[in-house]
Amino acid sequence: MKTLKVIKIGGNIIDNDAALQQFLKEFATIDAPKILVHGGGKLATKLAQQMQVEVKMVDGRRITDQETLDIITMMYAGKINKNVVAQLQANNCNAIGFSGADGNTIVSDLRPSKPIDYGFAGDVVKVNTETLEILLNNNVTPVFCAITHDENGQLLNTNADTIASELAIGFASIYNTELYYCFEKNGVLEDVDNDDSVIENINTKSYPSLIENGIIYEGMLPKLNNCFHAINHQVQKVCIGKSEMLFHKNNKHTTITK
């Protein structure tokens, strides 16, 4: 069974042109089937401010009204996605940009409006792998933005970490799937002020005590919940850290295991 790498990159790479160019240059050299998932929240916020559209957040999550949905669609599925695809082509990596609506690849339900109404926010219910499998078998790399759809014509803002996790799970019966979350830290840290305090392995036994002791909290919780969701649904390997972990074997990072 072939290995498929699903790699999610966040704002620290997307927001920095030099960092993005360097990452994509190295990403293009990965000689295995691969899917790239990107966020872009800071750039969407910047565009919203330029257009004088109020940015509303609750618990770090964006409230997506119609105006906001228009802006993030322009930024995620348009500018960021096409820029990434163009740069991959420049590095001899044939790529195609996707939202979940393209090829009916990722279907979501509108998130319930209670207890908090997040607006046009989607929770993934189905990943259709058929179209993507054809591309992967022909050395074409899908590049996903954080937009899905409900099969009734409505686009939905969807967490990019969740999209990466669900794609890895969707392919787990076809490939040995590996999921990598690349962000600005070396991994999950025991002390947030010490970049070297990487917890190199977190498993289902150690995870609850890390939460109980206040070591893992706030923004890291949903990311790790996605990690465990993946590892509990046949994804072979899940790692969190700087993007260097993909290219340098000795790079310190966090691995999630059962």
Side-chain angles (χ1 to χ4, degrees):
M1 200 182 267
K2 279 186 177 179
T3 297
L4 169 70
K5 295 178 189 290
V6 179
I7 298 162
K8 188 262 174 174
I9 53 173
N12 63 306
I13 295 173
I14 291 292
D15 301 339
N16 181 320
D17 286 343
L20 181 60
Q21 281 182 16
Q22 182 59 34
F23 170 80
L24 293 175
K25 188 177 178 181
E26 293 187 300
F27 175 84
T29 67
I30 296 172
D31 188 21
K34 53 192 181 289
I35 296 174
L36 185 61
V37 180
H38 64 78
K42 286 181 187 171
L43 290 175
T45 296
K46 191 177 173 185
L47 179 59
Q49 289 166 343
Q50 286 171 349
M51 295 177 71
Q52 298 183 323
V53 173
E54 187 185 353
V55 176
K56 299 173 195 162
M57 307 286 279
V58 176
D59 298 332
R61 293 192 175 199
R62 191 182 301 268
I63 304 293
T64 310
D65 58 18
Q66 184 59 58
E67 271 188 307
T68 302
L69 182 65
D70 290 345
I71 287 167
I72 65 168
T73 302
M74 283 189 279
M75 187 54 77
Y76 295 176
K79 180 175 178 175
I80 296 172
N81 192 266
K82 297 312 158 199
N83 178 44
V84 168
V85 169
Q87 289 197 48
L88 285 174
Q89 301 294 0
N91 284 290
N92 298 312
C93 174
N94 195 4
I96 294 182
F98 275 88
S99 71
D102 297 298
N104 193 30
T105 44
I106 307 176
V107 180
S108 292
D109 280 344
L110 184 69
R111 185 171 300 156
S113 59
K114 293 178 181 178
I116 297 165
D117 186 357
Y118 284 101
F120 294 104
D123 295 316
V124 176
V125 292
K126 186 167 61 176
V127 171
N128 295 312
T129 60
E130 294 88 350
T131 301
L132 299 174
E133 207 179 340
I134 292 166
L135 295 174
L136 291 167
N137 287 339
N138 285 278
N139 298 316
V140 180
T141 297
V143 178
F144 272 89
C145 69
I147 303 274
T148 59
H149 78 132
D150 68 355
E151 289 188 305
N152 293 304
Q154 181 62 56
L155 295 173
L156 296 167
N157 182 13
T158 306
N159 181 277
D161 286 350
T162 302
I163 286 176
S165 174
E166 294 293 349
L167 281 166
I169 291 166
F171 277 102
S173 62
I174 307 166
Y175 290 91
N176 289 321
T177 53
E178 298 178 357
L179 175 60
Y180 297 88
Y181 287 115
C182 303
F183 76 145
E184 66 276 8
K185 302 287 186 184
N186 287 326
V188 181
L189 304 178
E190 198 157 350
D191 174 3
V192 288
D193 297 319
N194 179 2
D195 269 359
D196 292 325
S197 65
V198 177
I199 305 168
E200 293 193 40
N201 188 279
I202 300 174
N203 58 37
T204 44
K205 287 181 181 174
S206 65
Y207 185 41
S209 64
L210 289 168
I211 296 170
E212 204 175 303
N213 295 324
I215 291 167
I216 292 171
Y217 59 97
E218 291 180 355
M220 190 52 74
L221 281 169
K223 193 179 286 287
L224 280 165
N225 287 340
N226 275 311
C227 291
F228 280 106
H229 179 57
I231 213 82
N232 289 324
H233 287 83
Q234 296 181 299
V235 175
Q236 298 280 310
K237 185 177 181 181
V238 180
C239 299
I240 301 176
K242 288 187 176 173
S243 59
E244 285 83 353
M245 67 180 167
L246 293 162
F247 316 112
H248 309 290
K249 286 185 179 176
N250 297 326
N251 185 265
K252 197 184 266 193
H253 58 272
T254 301
T255 300
I256 310 299
T257 58
K258 284 189 180 181

